[in-house]
Amino acid sequence: MRFEFKTLKPAPHFAEIPAEKWSNWIWQMQQTLNTEADFSKVFELNEGERGGFGQGGKLFKVSATPYYSSLGASCQSIRRTLLPTGLEVKPGAQQMEDPLAEIVHSPTSRIIHRYSDRVLFLVTDTCSVYCRYCTRKRFTGQEEGLINRQDYQNALQYIRNHKGIREVILSGGDPLTLSNRILGQTLRDIRAIENIEIIRIGSKMPAVCPMRVDKELIATLKEYSPVYMMTHFSHPKELTKEAADALGLLVDHGIPIFNQTVLLNGINNHAAIIQALSRRLLYLRVKPYYIFQCDPSEGTDHLRTSIESSEKIVKELWGHLSGLAMPTLSLDIPSGGGKTTLVPNFLEKSSEGLREYRGWDGRRGIYKNPEGEEILPPDVGEYFEEWEVLKRAKTPCP
Ligand SMILES: *Cc1c(COP(=O)(O)O)cnc(C)c1O
Ligand code: SF4
């Protein structure tokens, strides 16, 4: 079976909008829905959702483009990721303002440096949708907006001064909410730093506003290659014709795409949904990279799954899903330990030089080390020094 990606039908409220406006990303961003009144034009809000809006000043910002609102109105699962409910103020098992201790890992404003070779650079706090499960609620949608000149220069200087940093991950907020002019300038400044090999851009825009991916954006990204795109598709219903075209355009122009998904309770926490999402992404030449255990940020208890149920999903997929389509289950250790991967355990017995496994279909097997073979050092040559330099790099961890 091949997959069919269908053009999204705008919600009735947008029925009269001409196609050239609808397919223009700037129009989509300017027409973003923000208030209860805006959303009631597209959704028949239920009591829980009205209760969510009723939280007033405490409410984590709510926004969505006309395109994504229309998608939410046609799919209950997506609706739950973008509309607030009263459950967001219910006390939960773990409610952390800064679950990943990013504040203490921030040596200068807008930089998060947890791993020695790569940093996050929070270029804006604006997103095209405010996911109810966002891990960075303390920052996103707080209307700080663009970074100021001084913070921007300090961030670049920090990256320049730390030669161990090889990769910059543009994040936020959503870097693709920036204009091509500002995005291009940022990419140019980062590319000019000698120690930087890879630039990644984390963005939900291909899902929320796929019109953002146009020829002009592609030209901007190509100029600073290698640039990797990290998308955020959480449900197969997000893979419309528009989204498929956006992904195709990126890959056609040499921009590799990796997808990250958050496992969400009652939304995508089933092997059938994850396999559907993963196979369609792979067909569109996008590598399913991580599925994340939802972080315990404030107001997310009703959206988090249990660790055991997440592990069960991955174990079910094993053996039925191509390794290319298989995402890695990952949990960001609260309080800033970095990520840990949760891989199904096939080990049955272990002793010196011997391991016994039971595979995905129940078959057992033993692996033995070679007899009396000495483990020989290969000729490491010029790579020795490169590795030593990488190992010496430090993070500013407290
Ligand atoms: C997730 C994360 C990264 C990237 O990790 P990868 O495993 O390389 O994808 C980098 N820095 C921070 C602070 C992160 O949270
Ligand atoms: S797109 Fe990412 S940063 Fe923005 S609200 Fe959603 S999870 Fe948070």
Side-chain angles (χ1 to χ4, degrees), residues 158-172:
Y158 181 85
I159 299 167
R160 236 176 258 126
N161 288 346
H162 290 77
K163 303 280 180 239
I165 300 173
R166 305 293 155 159
E167 183 174 330
V168 176
I169 303 168
L170 298 187
S171 185

Side-chain angles (χ1 to χ4, degrees), residues 159-350:
I159 299 167
R160 236 176 258 126
N161 288 346
H162 290 77
K163 303 280 180 239
I165 300 173
R166 305 293 155 159
E167 183 174 330
V168 176
I169 303 168
L170 298 187
S171 185
D174 193 321
L176 292 191
T177 61
L178 300 177
S179 67
N180 286 330
R181 190 182 61 80
I182 295 180
L183 181 67
Q185 184 62 48
T186 308
L187 292 171
R188 184 171 322 131
D189 290 339
I190 294 170
R191 197 33 92 205
I193 302 175
E194 218 184 319
N195 41 302
I196 295 309
E197 296 159 8
I198 300 291
I199 303 174
R200 276 196 228 182
I201 300 177
S203 177
K204 196 162 169 157
M205 288 286 266
V208 179
C209 187
M211 321 58 193
R212 175 69 182 93
V213 183
D214 56 12
K215 295 239 162 62
E216 205 183 304
L217 175 69
I218 298 284
T220 307
L221 299 181
K222 267 182 96 162
E223 211 174 319
Y224 306 103
S225 172
V227 174
Y228 281 67
M229 188 63 70
M230 314 299 289
T231 56
H232 177 179
F233 287 90
S234 307
H235 196 282
K237 290 276 191 258
E238 291 174 319
L239 292 169
T240 60
K241 170 82 165 52
E242 290 88 333
D245 288 348
L247 297 171
L249 200 57
L250 288 163
V251 182
D252 280 349
H253 288 84
I255 298 150
I257 314 177
F258 287 70
N259 187 68
Q260 311 190 129
T261 299
V262 179
L263 275 179
L264 297 165
N265 198 16
I267 292 172
N268 62 6
N269 58 329
H270 194 290
I273 297 175
I274 299 301
Q275 68 80 32
L277 175 65
S278 296
R279 286 170 56 211
R280 283 159 182 77
L281 284 169
L282 191 66
Y283 185 75
L284 295 168
R285 297 173 290 170
V286 177
K287 167 77 186 112
Y289 180 46
Y290 284 141
I291 41 175
F292 285 112
Q293 186 67 19
C294 184
D295 292 327
S297 72
E298 289 174 350
T300 58
D301 254 37
H302 61 294
L303 293 171
R304 293 199 285 134
T305 60
S306 69
I307 296 173
E308 293 77 10
S309 67
S310 307
E311 285 173 332
K312 190 167 153 263
I313 291 171
V314 173
K315 188 131 195 183
E316 276 180 332
L317 291 173
W318 215 272
H320 297 293
L321 198 58
S322 156
L324 290 178
M326 190 74 184
T328 302
L329 176 60
S330 177
L331 179 153
D332 236 309
I333 303 170
S335 310
K339 293 174 185 61
T340 177
T341 52
L342 309 176
V343 183
N345 186 9
F346 295 108
L347 188 67
E348 291 267 294
K349 261 191 235 150
S350 150

Side-chain angles (χ1 to χ4, degrees), residues 112-120 164-169 200 289-290 339 395:
I112 300 166
H113 193 184
R114 191 191 334 270
Y115 298 109
S116 64
D117 71 325
R118 53 210 195 278
V119 290
L120 297 188
I165 300 173
R166 305 293 155 159
E167 183 174 330
V168 176
I169 303 168
R200 276 196 228 182
Y289 180 46
Y290 284 141
K339 293 174 185 61
T395 65

Side-chain angles (χ1 to χ4, degrees), residues 15-45:
E16 305 299 319
I17 304 296
E20 70 271 17
K21 274 193 180 164
W22 185 259
S23 58
N24 178 318
W25 77 273
I26 298 188
W27 182 87
Q28 288 281 341
M29 294 301 286
Q30 283 168 347
Q31 300 299 314
T32 285
L33 288 71
N34 294 300
T35 62
E36 181 172 357
D38 293 342
F39 280 98
S40 10
K41 291 176 186 146
V42 178
F43 296 86
E44 208 172 302
L45 298 178

Side-chain angles (χ1 to χ4, degrees), residues 60 127-131 133-136 140 172-174 204 232:
F60 175 57
C127 288
S128 51
V129 65
Y130 291 97
C131 313
Y133 51 87
C134 182
T135 188
R136 206 169 288 138
T140 48
D174 193 321
K204 196 162 169 157
H232 177 179

